[in-house]
Amino acid sequence: VANVTLRNVINTIEVEDSNGKLFTIPKGHEVTVASYVQHYDDRTYDNPHEFRPERWLEKEYTDFDWFPFGAGTNKCSGRHLAQMELATVAALFLREFDAELIDPVPEEEWHNTVAMVAPSKRSCRFTYKRVKH
């Protein structure tokens, strides 16, 4: 997973940060949009670091609030297929297996974050056994 969108600037532009400071980005430079910055923005999401799947049912979000596949005219053409496959694989796994965590879910590691937030431990083990139908 790379939560980064890289774009080449075709015309010199001025952008304003959240503190009102202006920056000039010259033509030919590349800019990166790290989606995790937006995905953890407390102006968009209440308690963004809290696992609350129901938040998606409580409010309608725009393509620019949550954009793991990019946004606008350059978003990933495989977005809908990937989302469908994720839901299908998760549903099939949960239908066929009982699963239980062995380890606690790892804490996030935020230092030096560029593309994504990695867990501080590199594993999260679980056991599973096939369900008898």
Side-chain angles (χ1 to χ4, degrees):
V1 173
N3 287 330
V4 173
T5 303
L6 184 65
R7 294 289 182 257
N8 189 27
V9 177
I10 57 172
N11 294 309
T12 298
I13 57 172
E14 273 197 346
V15 294
E16 184 177 340
D17 72 7
S18 59
N19 297 318
K21 186 175 179 181
L22 288 175
F23 293 90
T24 300
I25 304 174
K27 176 182 178 177
H29 279 68
E30 291 181 334
V31 294
T32 299
V33 177
S35 59
Y36 77 86
V37 172
Q38 178 63 31
H39 296 165
Y40 287 91
D41 187 347
D42 59 9
R43 292 172 296 183
T44 303
Y45 304 101
D46 292 331
N47 303 311
H49 295 280
E50 184 181 321
F51 180 69
R52 288 187 49 247
E54 66 275 9
R55 80 175 72 238
W56 304 105
L57 302 173
E58 298 169 352
K59 177 182 173 186
E60 181 127 351
Y61 294 97
T62 71
D63 281 348
F64 297 97
D65 291 333
W66 185 74
F67 52 94
F69 297 96
T73 58
N74 294 309
K75 74 176 130 187
C76 175
S77 61
R79 170 187 180 178
H80 298 292
L81 177 61
Q83 289 175 316
M84 181 186 68
E85 287 178 334
L86 286 169
T88 301
V89 168
L92 289 172
F93 179 82
L94 294 172
R95 182 185 76 184
E96 296 296 322
F97 298 95
D98 281 330
E100 183 178 338
L101 285 174
I102 296 172
D103 302 322
V105 176
E107 292 294 318
E108 298 154 334
E109 193 174 281
W110 282 90
H111 71 285
N112 298 322
T113 300
V114 174
M116 66 181 193
V117 179
S120 56
K121 287 177 157 180
R122 297 294 180 224
S123 65
C124 182
R125 298 176 306 151
F126 65 95
T127 61
Y128 60 92
K129 61 182 177 181
R130 188 171 293 277
V131 174
K132 294 180 182 172
H133 292 286

